[in-house]
DNA sequence: GCTTTTATAAACACGG
DNA sequence: TCCGTGTTTATAAAAG
């Protein structure tokens, strides 16, 4: 069996301000470095050294051959004081590497084994490094290019933390694209070329994505031809395939490490369900700061204690803004120890509750963490999640307890709050059907209560804020909806925005507010509160707005306006509304 | 400092 | 009477 070999070039370069000139002072002698081992380790540079060099903003080139038959290791462990000396060293190293590569190519490249040399590199190699390996294997990159790249600041950021790993932009763009550039490659956005070219994982952006190959192909046919000619089943392709397997394996290892880290973090943050909690004190995302002062307080057993009494801040897994804000960290505790939770953070930042919950569903189910949403948001979400978008009070209770560990205790407190919110907010409409009293959501009222800070058409936003306030949806609002959100949704493939499926999809997309608004635009273009009780044929309104016309008609919900319209048919505005609403809604 | 929003607590009414 | 449900009021705090 032929010797399986490859040459690995790891470049840690920096686009630093210090440049190589700083190198000498930082590395000269090297005796002061912790863990420094490049002085007596037989020419090897350990990952620790690499990391250290990188952290020290040092430009260093390490060329390590991973072949099983030779032990060529080219490392700049003896970096001189002078920049020139360092550059010379680099050149020598590159020449050595190039020569070695030539030898390898003469031997005939064969597949790589996941041998120990390779595995030993895994600590220092990120997947991008493995991709870089392709360049060396395929001989695409010359040493001059590498040297040039090094001094132009492009190269691998050798960090032990994969999250901070950056990949070379220039010469590995193509090869990395298919695997590592998930942001580019996994997003639905694809250039027109790719869209028209069909879907071949090895073809995109008009070029071959075979690792190490950047051959330009005008169309799919040309690509197929190129694929068959250049990447046929031979030793070289096999070797590349095996390296690709290594890449995947490396990614899996990294994933396992990150998962383990995550688990440790969650464990550290008291998320061990199996671990007995002495007092089962919840963690409050919003007002955790006040808890720091009272974390030593103990509430007597059997006595209700404030649900806001958390012991430590904890955040769910998310990337959005639902994090503990500085203000929340410094919130004051309630003088009676009952610190009411102020505005939920996610509400404050207009975080879509659906996406937040979808993202951290298990988190909230298991962690005694107060969800960063207002009661109103939660209630609304619970109702909208229901198949028919209506829930009894008890079902709302059950949803709270099912979805949030936080609400599995202090039931009297939060249930009272739920009832209070249901009664207080006009967006919650109590209706009676055959099942009894159920609660629904008047989306118009909800949006009016909290104007959505959505990104989109300014016209839409404007109309959402101002146009909603006349008891009916004016034309501009409808037009804005149709122009912006509905178009957006249609572009997302949501043909029927009024369907529950669309709702769920929208929630999943994280357009909580947008979705709920757009839902109101039905297929015939008219706007109706989808969730208003008129939908429910057998339902009778129990919760009514005051019979007298409010001074501010904007406070009237659409549903309530309909109700009033029935009672006060002579009202002009209500007549206008009557014209706009489907007749069946008045029945 | 004012207003709005929200959370919390509590009182009360009503019906089963 | 008790309990669940629903409404209302009061208070405090945060945020704009």
């Amino acid at each position: 069996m032929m010797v399986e070999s490859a040459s690995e070039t790891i470049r840690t370069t920096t686009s630093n301000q210090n440049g190589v000139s700083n190198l000498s002072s930082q590395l000269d002698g090297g005796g002061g470095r912790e863990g420094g081992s490049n002085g007596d380790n037989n020419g090897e540079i350990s990952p620790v050294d690499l990391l250290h060099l990188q952290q020290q903003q040092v430009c260093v080139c390490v060329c390590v051959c991973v072949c099983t038959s030779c032990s060529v290791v080219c490392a700049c462990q003896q970096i001189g004081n002078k920049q020139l000396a360092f550059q010379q060293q680099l050149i020598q190293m590159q020449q050595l590497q190039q020569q070695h590569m030539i030898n390898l190519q003469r031997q005939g490249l064969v597949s790589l084994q996941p041998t120990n040399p390779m595995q030993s590199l895994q600590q220092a190699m990120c997947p991008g490094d493995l991709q870089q390996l392709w360049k060396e294997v395929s001989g695409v990159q010359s040493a001059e290019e590498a040297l040039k790249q090094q001094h132009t600041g492009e190269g691998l950021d050798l960090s032990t933390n994969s999250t901070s790993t950056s990949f070379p932009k220039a010469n590995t763009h193509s090869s990395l694209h298919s695997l590592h550039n998930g942001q580019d490659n996994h997003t639905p956005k694809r250039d027109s070329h790719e869209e028209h070219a069909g879907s071949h994982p090895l073809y995109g952006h008009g070029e071959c994505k075979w690792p190490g190959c950047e051959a330009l192909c005008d169309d799919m046919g040309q690509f197929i031809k190129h694929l068959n000619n250049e990447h046929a089943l031979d030793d070289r392709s096999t070797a590349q395939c095996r390296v690709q397997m290594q890449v995947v394996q490396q990614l899996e290892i990294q994933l396992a490490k990150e998962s383990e880290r995550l688990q440790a973090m969650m464990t550290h943050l008291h998320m061990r369900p199996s671990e007995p909690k002495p007092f089962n004190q919840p963690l409050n995302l919003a007002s955790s700061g006040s808890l720091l002062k009272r974390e030593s307080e103990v509430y007597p057993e059997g006595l209700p204690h404030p649900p806001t009494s958390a012991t430590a801040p904890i955040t769910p897994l998310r990337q959005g803004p639902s994090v503990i804000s500085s203000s929340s960290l410094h919130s004051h505790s309630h003088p009676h120890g009952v610190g009411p939770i102020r505005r939920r953070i996610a509400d404050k930042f207009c975080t879509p509750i659906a996406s937040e919950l979808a993202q951290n569903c298990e988190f909230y189910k298991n962690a005694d963490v107060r969800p960063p949403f207002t009661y109103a948001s939660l209630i609304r979400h619970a109702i909208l999640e229901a198949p028919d978008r209506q829930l009894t009070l008890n079902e709302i209770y059950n949803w709270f307890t099912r979805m949030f560990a936080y609400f599995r205790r202090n039931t009297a407190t939060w249930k009272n709050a739920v009832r209070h919110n249901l009664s207080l907010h006009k967006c919650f409409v109590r209706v009676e059907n055959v099942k009894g009293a159920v609660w629904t959501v008047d989306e118009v009222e909800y949006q009016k209560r909290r104007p959505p800070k959505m990104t989109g058409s300014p016209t839409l936003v404007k109309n959402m804020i101002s146009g909603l306030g006349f008891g009916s949806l004016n034309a501009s609002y409808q037009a804005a909806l149709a122009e912006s959100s509905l178009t957006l949704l249609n572009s997302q493939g949501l043909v029927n925005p009024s369907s529950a499926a669309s709702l769920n999809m929208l929630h999943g997309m994280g357009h909580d507010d947008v979705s709920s608004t757009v839902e109101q635009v039905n297929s015939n273009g008219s706007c109706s509160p989808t969730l208003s009780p008129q939908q429910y044929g057998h339902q009778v309104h129990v919760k009514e707005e005051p019979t007298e016309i409010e001074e501010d008609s904007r406070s009237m919900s659409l549903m309530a306006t309909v109700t009033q319209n029935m009672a006060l048919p002579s009202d002009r505005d209500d007549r206008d509304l009557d014209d706009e609403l489907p007749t069946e809604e008045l029945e």
Side-chain angles (χ1 to χ4, degrees), chain A residues 84-204:
Chain A
L84 179 60
F86 174 67
Q87 290 176 347
Q88 290 175 347
Q89 193 106 21
L90 284 177
I91 293 172
Q92 291 176 1
M93 213 163 36
Q94 295 293 341
Q95 290 174 346
L96 183 59
Q97 174 203 358
Q98 191 176 25
Q99 185 177 7
H100 184 66
M101 288 167 49
I102 293 172
N103 293 335
L104 291 174
Q105 290 177 349
R106 287 175 181 173
Q107 295 175 14
L109 183 62
V110 291
S111 60
L112 285 170
Q113 286 181 342
T115 55
N116 289 335
M118 175 67 82
Q119 291 173 350
S120 66
L121 284 172
Q122 287 180 349
Q123 296 301 321
M125 292 173 60
C126 64
D129 299 329
L130 287 168
Q131 287 289 348
Q132 178 65 32
L133 180 60
W134 285 119
K135 298 301 178 179
E136 311 303 334
V137 168
S138 58
V140 171
Q141 186 185 35
S142 64
E144 291 76 13
E145 289 174 341
L147 185 61
K148 179 181 177 181
Q149 184 190 39
Q150 283 181 330
H151 292 281
T152 53
E154 290 181 339
L156 291 173
D157 181 12
L158 261 188
S159 172
T160 54
N161 189 346
S162 65
T163 58
S164 62
T165 300
S166 62
F167 302 114
K169 296 177 183 177
N171 62 340
T172 59
H173 172 266
S174 170
S175 58
L176 293 178
H177 196 85
S178 61
L179 183 64
H180 303 301
N181 253 354
Q183 293 175 344
D184 295 335
N185 201 31
H186 296 158
T187 52
K189 294 180 180 178
R190 293 187 177 185
D191 58 11
S192 57
H193 196 294
E194 191 172 17
E195 288 179 353
H196 292 91
S199 60
H200 196 293
L202 291 175
Y203 181 65

Side-chain angles (χ1 to χ4, degrees), chain A residues 145-403:
Chain A
E145 289 174 341
L147 185 61
K148 179 181 177 181
Q149 184 190 39
Q150 283 181 330
H151 292 281
T152 53
E154 290 181 339
L156 291 173
D157 181 12
L158 261 188
S159 172
T160 54
N161 189 346
S162 65
T163 58
S164 62
T165 300
S166 62
F167 302 114
K169 296 177 183 177
N171 62 340
T172 59
H173 172 266
S174 170
S175 58
L176 293 178
H177 196 85
S178 61
L179 183 64
H180 303 301
N181 253 354
Q183 293 175 344
D184 295 335
N185 201 31
H186 296 158
T187 52
K189 294 180 180 178
R190 293 187 177 185
D191 58 11
S192 57
H193 196 294
E194 191 172 17
E195 288 179 353
H196 292 91
S199 60
H200 196 293
L202 291 175
Y203 181 65
H205 297 86
E207 62 183 20
C208 177
K209 286 184 173 182
W210 188 279
C213 178
E214 297 179 355
L216 297 176
C217 304
D218 293 334
D219 52 20
M220 180 62 80
Q222 187 178 352
F223 164 72
I224 296 297
K225 184 179 180 180
H226 162 80
L227 194 64
N228 292 330
N229 293 335
E230 300 299 324
H231 307 300
L233 180 60
D234 54 9
D235 291 340
R236 175 180 171 135
S237 298
T238 304
Q240 292 173 329
C241 189
R242 292 195 184 187
V243 174
Q244 185 68 21
M245 292 168 63
Q246 285 288 316
V247 172
V248 175
Q249 185 181 17
Q250 177 68 22
L251 287 174
E252 291 174 348
I253 292 171
Q254 191 65 42
L255 174 63
K257 289 180 179 178
E258 295 299 329
S259 298
E260 187 178 3
R261 180 185 300 182
L262 167 65
Q263 189 64 35
M265 291 167 65
M266 295 172 70
T267 303
H268 173 69
L269 295 176
H270 309 139
M271 286 191 59
R272 288 160 292 189
S274 59
E275 181 182 86
K277 297 179 180 179
F279 299 101
N280 195 27
Q281 295 199 358
L283 300 172
N284 194 324
L285 288 175
S287 61
S288 57
S290 61
L291 310 169
L292 299 177
K293 294 189 293 185
R294 297 183 290 124
E295 65 180 350
S296 61
E297 294 182 13
V298 175
Y299 296 94
E301 286 288 344
L303 293 179
H305 52 275
T308 58
S309 58
T311 56
I314 186 170
T315 55
L317 306 173
R318 70 185 323 274
Q319 298 170 345
S322 179
V323 295
I324 299 171
S325 63
S326 58
S327 58
S328 65
L329 284 172
H330 295 83
S331 63
H332 301 291
S333 60
H334 193 277
H336 302 94
V338 187
I341 305 306
R342 296 303 142 216
R343 196 166 306 177
R344 302 274 69 80
I345 298 173
D347 278 8
K348 177 182 173 182
F349 290 95
C350 206
T351 301
I353 182 174
S355 61
E356 164 75 16
L357 290 182
Q359 202 172 4
N360 302 295
C361 178
E362 292 302 317
F363 176 86
Y364 291 118
K365 281 183 179 178
N366 299 319
D368 197 4
V369 176
R370 186 190 181 95
F373 304 102
T374 62
Y375 280 111
S377 299
L378 291 171
I379 295 169
R380 170 180 171 269
H381 186 73
I383 295 173
L384 296 185
E385 240 188 17
D388 45 0
R389 300 175 200 170
Q390 58 180 18
L391 287 178
T392 65
L393 179 63
N394 198 44
E395 288 172 337
I396 295 174
Y397 290 161
N398 293 335
W399 185 86
F400 271 69
T401 55
R402 186 178 70 252
M403 296 297 294

Side-chain angles (χ1 to χ4, degrees), chain A residues 443-445 447-449 451-452 454 457-481 517 520 527 552-558 561 573 576-577 580:
Chain A
E443 279 298 314
V444 177
E445 275 297 327
Q447 301 299 335
K448 200 192 311 181
R449 181 187 65 88
M454 68 186 75
S457 168
T459 308
L460 171 63
V461 177
K462 180 182 177 181
N463 285 285
M464 284 297 297
I465 296 173
S466 61
L468 285 177
F470 301 98
S472 63
L473 303 174
N474 58 30
S476 60
Y477 172 53
Q478 299 179 38
L481 283 175
T517 304
Q520 298 156 15
C527 297
D552 185 2
S553 61
R554 287 180 294 179
S555 63
M556 285 192 295
S557 68
L558 181 59
T561 307
D573 290 336
D576 295 339
L577 173 65
E580 294 182 11

